[in-house]
């Protein structure tokens, strides 16, 4: 087995696991116990100097950053998931980056409070204020598109929908954004997503 993914199928690492399953590749998972410092060992830092997860190893090729890993896996093993035209591939990148850069950080701020069993109403309110700017843009786009790049599922959906799973962790209510809810339900219904989360 040539493919190895370091990091479990949670948080941003879910992108790597979901993409591997979408492209039909079997792989080995190596858990990294971050609280125990396994991400700071010399062996792991030799693979990923940031000490973060996920990390992908494909033979002798090592890659970090979850969106890059998802894109690589699709490009290498199922390129039709990138989009069938240059325009669709660009749209997949555009919306994947839009969600990662604008929406994910705010959902992550709230999710971190849940994970750390802390309460900070000021952080929550500030995050919601930012989300109030960005979520309507995504919802409006999805009002006229089945998926982020158009009518077909692409790697852009893997990248973007993984970001929105932080809403599940944080308890952020997305019901005010019906098009996002419809799209997320479609993404979560995919066998590859369900297999990765299982």
């Amino acid at each position: 087995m040539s493919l190895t993914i370091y990091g479990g199928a949670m948080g941003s690492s879910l992108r790597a696991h979901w993409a591997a399953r979408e492209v039909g590749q079997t792989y080995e998972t190596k858990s990294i116990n971050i609280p125990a410092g396994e991400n700071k060992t010399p062996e792991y830092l030799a693979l990923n100097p940031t000490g973060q997860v996920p990390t992908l190893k494909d033979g002798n090729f090592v890659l970090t950053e979850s969106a890059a890993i998802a894109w690589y896996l699709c490009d290498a093993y199922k390129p039709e998931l990138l989009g069938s035209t240059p325009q669709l591939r660009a749209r997949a990148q555009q919306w994947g980056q839009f969600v990662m850069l604008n929406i994910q950080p705010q959902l992550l701020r709230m999710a971190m409070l849940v994970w750390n069993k802390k309460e900070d109403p000021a952080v929550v309110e500030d995050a919601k204020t930012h989300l109030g700017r960005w979520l309507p843009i995504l919802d409006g786009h999805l009002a006229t598109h089945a998926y982020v790049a158009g009518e077909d599922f692409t790697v852009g959906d893997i990248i973007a929908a993984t970001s929105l799973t932080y809403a599940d962790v944080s308890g952020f209510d997305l019901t005010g954004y019906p098009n996002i809810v419809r799209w997320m339900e479609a993404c979560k219904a995919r066998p590859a997503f369900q297999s990765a989360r299982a």
Side-chain angles (χ1 to χ4, degrees):
M1 186 181 301
S2 65
L3 279 181
T4 302
I5 296 175
Y6 296 79
M10 58 185 297
S12 294
S13 293
L14 174 62
R15 288 190 185 98
H17 292 268
W18 184 2
R21 284 171 164 81
E22 285 285 354
V23 303
Q25 290 295 302
T26 57
Y27 62 94
E28 179 183 2
T29 300
K30 291 194 175 180
S31 297
I32 300 295
N33 189 330
I34 292 177
E38 291 180 358
N39 60 317
K40 298 298 185 182
T41 64
E43 293 79 12
Y44 187 69
L45 290 174
L47 294 172
N48 188 336
T50 70
Q52 297 176 333
V53 291
T55 299
L56 173 76
K57 192 172 183 185
D58 186 0
N60 293 322
F61 177 65
V62 178
L63 187 65
T64 66
E65 301 301 328
S66 61
I69 290 169
W71 195 275
Y72 166 76
L73 288 169
C74 292
D75 195 12
Y77 297 105
K78 199 171 182 180
E80 57 266 34
L81 284 174
L82 300 181
S84 58
T85 67
Q87 291 78 15
L88 289 174
R89 291 191 288 275
R91 289 293 185 210
Q93 285 198 14
Q94 172 191 337
W95 286 102
Q97 291 181 21
F98 170 82
V99 173
M100 280 186 62
L101 293 173
N102 298 297
I103 295 173
Q104 177 172 322
Q106 306 308 325
L107 292 173
L108 181 57
R109 292 171 71 194
M110 293 188 289
M112 290 296 291
L113 292 175
V114 174
W115 283 326
N116 294 322
K117 296 181 172 61
K118 294 182 179 179
E119 293 186 11
D120 192 330
V123 168
V124 172
E125 286 308 308
D126 187 63
K128 287 181 176 179
T129 297
H130 287 287
L131 289 169
R133 175 183 179 188
W134 302 118
L135 286 171
I137 296 173
L138 177 63
D139 194 66
H141 174 69
L142 290 169
T144 55
H145 299 81
Y147 295 100
V148 296
E151 298 314 301
D152 296 320
F153 179 87
T154 66
V155 66
D157 297 290
I158 296 174
I159 294 168
T162 298
S163 295
L164 268 293
T165 62
Y166 284 108
D168 300 334
V169 178
S170 66
F172 182 79
D173 186 6
L174 289 169
T175 55
Y177 305 97
N179 302 303
I180 292 177
V181 171
R182 184 267 313 156
W183 164 71
M184 283 297 291
E185 288 175 350
C187 289
K188 289 180 176 181
R190 295 184 69 83
F193 177 90
Q194 296 183 5
S195 175
R197 289 301 290 265

